[in-house]
Each structure stands twice: as structure tokens, then as C-alpha cells.
Amino acid sequence: MTEEIIIAGFGGQGVLSMGKILAYSGVMQGQEVTWFPSYGPEMRGGTANVSVILSDSRISSPILHEFDTAIILNQQSMNKFEKAVKPGGVLLYDPHGIVHPPTRTDINIYKIEGTKIAADMGNVKTFNMVVLGAYLKAKPVVKMESIRKGLEKSLPERHHKLIPLNLQAIEAGVDHLEVVQKV
């Protein structure tokens, strides 16, 4: 099993931390993992993306040009990465801020109202965990127990009290994933 993922959006949306939690979760399951972030000099609001590879075998390079899955959180990222999803792959997006939804007919497309769900939960900072939960429903590449361990590993200990809230947000994402198109 090898899963090559791009997570892309604005800085401040939790793009890099979502990737880091996925990567740590893979490590907890004994998988080979890469976490390769890319972002501009802005602290918030600039574009940010991270590629994550989870594999049962050695990974030859962290550099990818096409992906099994793209998790898209803004229009600029949709414009850049929709075409980079392998045929038969998965594109998951939050429609908030997406003006032009995906148009490809050769990929599986899912939607999650992560922004709305996180706001309804009373904590918009859990947005990325809602999206992560939706992804894990579409492609269960890591076990939920590994996600919990990944959260423990990636969050500073002073924030461990937030782990139950993050797990709740992940469950909300699992429960609210919308299938737009299956191929």
C-alpha cells in the first residue's frame, strides 16, 4: 500500500498540522512516511501545502508531481492541484471559498463542509480535523487509534486537553462526508 497525498490551502488553515498528524499516525502503524511542506514567507493567509506519503515499503523520493489524493481548501489550490490527481484518485474539498468546483470526470470527488461543521461545533480551529475525518472516511489509510496517537505526538503536551475535541471533530468529518462523484 502506498498513498501519495497533497493537502493544500491557506496558511492558518491547519494544512501542515493535518499532514503532520497523518504522518505521525503512519509512523505509529509502522509505515514508511514522508512529510514535505511548502509555504510562502507569510505567517497567515499565504498559500501552504504539504505532501505526505504513507507506504508499506521504502519511499524513494518525497517529491511528487501527481497524487492519489488531493485535499483542497481554497480556490488557488484547486486551480493548481485538481489536474495533478491520478485518474481514479480522490479529490476532497471544502466548498467554502471555492468558486469553481472540480470538473474532472475521471476521479472520485468528495465534499466536506468543514468550515460550517467546525463553526457549528463552536471551535473553528477544529476545521482541519473535520476535513481529516472526512478524508479517513473516503480513504481509511490509517486506523483511528493511530490518529489519536498521532495527535498526542504532534500536539505539545500543554494542548493535550484539546485531543478529545479534535477527535470529536474527526468523527464529525467522518459523519458528514458527501460523495459528489464516484468513478
Side-chain angles (χ1 to χ4, degrees):
M1 187 289 294
T2 297
E3 174 75 357
E4 298 171 336
I5 309 156
I6 185 78
I7 306 168
F10 288 125
Q13 286 185 302
V15 168
L16 302 183
S17 60
M18 192 186 329
K20 187 184 286 187
I21 291 162
L22 259 178
Y24 273 128
S25 300
V27 168
M28 298 300 157
Q29 289 185 184
Q31 292 175 314
E32 299 288 323
V33 171
T34 66
W35 179 80
F36 197 72
S38 173
Y39 48 90
E42 304 88 354
M43 193 69 109
R44 294 272 182 274
T47 57
N49 68 70
V50 62
S51 61
V52 176
I53 304 173
L54 303 170
S55 182
D56 293 333
S57 56
R58 279 187 169 272
I59 299 167
S60 59
S61 172
I63 299 179
L64 300 169
H65 301 291
E66 56 178 12
F67 307 91
D68 299 307
T69 298
I71 300 172
I72 305 297
L73 306 178
N74 66 8
Q75 188 63 55
Q76 294 92 320
S77 299
M78 183 72 77
N79 298 345
K80 183 173 183 179
F81 293 112
E82 178 183 3
K83 61 185 169 282
V85 178
K86 296 174 187 174
V90 167
L91 188 147
L92 168 66
Y93 74 102
D94 181 315
H96 183 79
I98 300 287
V99 181
H100 305 290
T103 57
R104 286 187 49 193
T105 57
D106 64 338
I107 59 174
N108 299 291
I109 300 174
Y110 298 90
K111 181 167 72 169
I112 182 70
E113 296 271 356
T115 305
K116 180 185 180 322
I117 293 165
D120 290 349
M121 289 179 66
N123 190 334
V124 294
K125 290 183 178 181
T126 61
F127 160 76
N128 63 335
M129 294 298 98
V130 173
V131 174
L132 179 60
Y135 167 66
L136 293 173
K137 170 88 182 255
K139 291 194 92 172
V141 293
V142 290
K143 298 181 187 102
M144 203 52 79
E145 179 57 26
S146 299
I147 288 289
R148 189 188 59 72
K149 289 177 182 175
L151 277 164
E152 288 172 358
K153 191 83 172 143
S154 64
L155 286 175
E157 199 156 319
R158 69 183 183 277
H159 294 307
H160 278 201
K161 64 184 179 290
L162 299 173
I163 290 175
L165 178 65
N166 280 283
L167 291 172
Q168 203 179 353
I170 290 169
E171 285 301 324
V174 168
D175 293 343
H176 292 91
L177 177 68
E178 296 175 50
V179 177
V180 176
Q181 169 182 291
K182 290 279 275 176
V183 292

